[in-house]
Amino acid sequence: IFWRDARQKLHKFLCMRVLVTGGAGFIGSHTLRKLTELGHETALLDEFRAVYDPAIKRANAAASGAK
């Protein structure tokens, strides 16, 4: 029980709040998914310019789990 409690406290201590700029793009959205899986609190910031299809970016943002 001691080790489980210690591990939970350590995990809580090591988790971060992360802002990913360009989070709706290919690399940013995959980074956000991985950070969320690891237990970090994530947020994304993106300009949603038409360089990359905005519909795909919106789908990436929705699927990333970020705020």
Side-chain angles (χ1 to χ4, degrees):
I1 294 175
F2 170 77
W3 291 110
R4 188 178 341 148
D5 292 340
R7 197 160 101 189
Q8 287 174 345
K9 287 178 184 176
L10 181 62
H11 178 72
K12 210 173 190 182
F13 177 75
L14 294 176
C15 286
M16 297 182 288
R17 291 182 176 171
V18 182
L19 171 66
V20 177
T21 57
F26 181 79
I27 295 171
S29 63
H30 284 81
T31 301
L32 283 166
R33 284 185 197 134
K34 188 61 176 178
L35 289 168
T36 303
E37 284 175 16
L38 293 172
H40 299 289
E41 186 178 333
T42 58
L44 72 87
L45 177 69
D46 202 290
E47 199 171 4
F48 290 95
R49 288 189 304 174
V51 175
Y52 188 79
D53 185 2
I56 295 173
K57 289 185 110 177
R58 281 191 292 278
N60 287 345
S64 71
K67 293 180 181 177

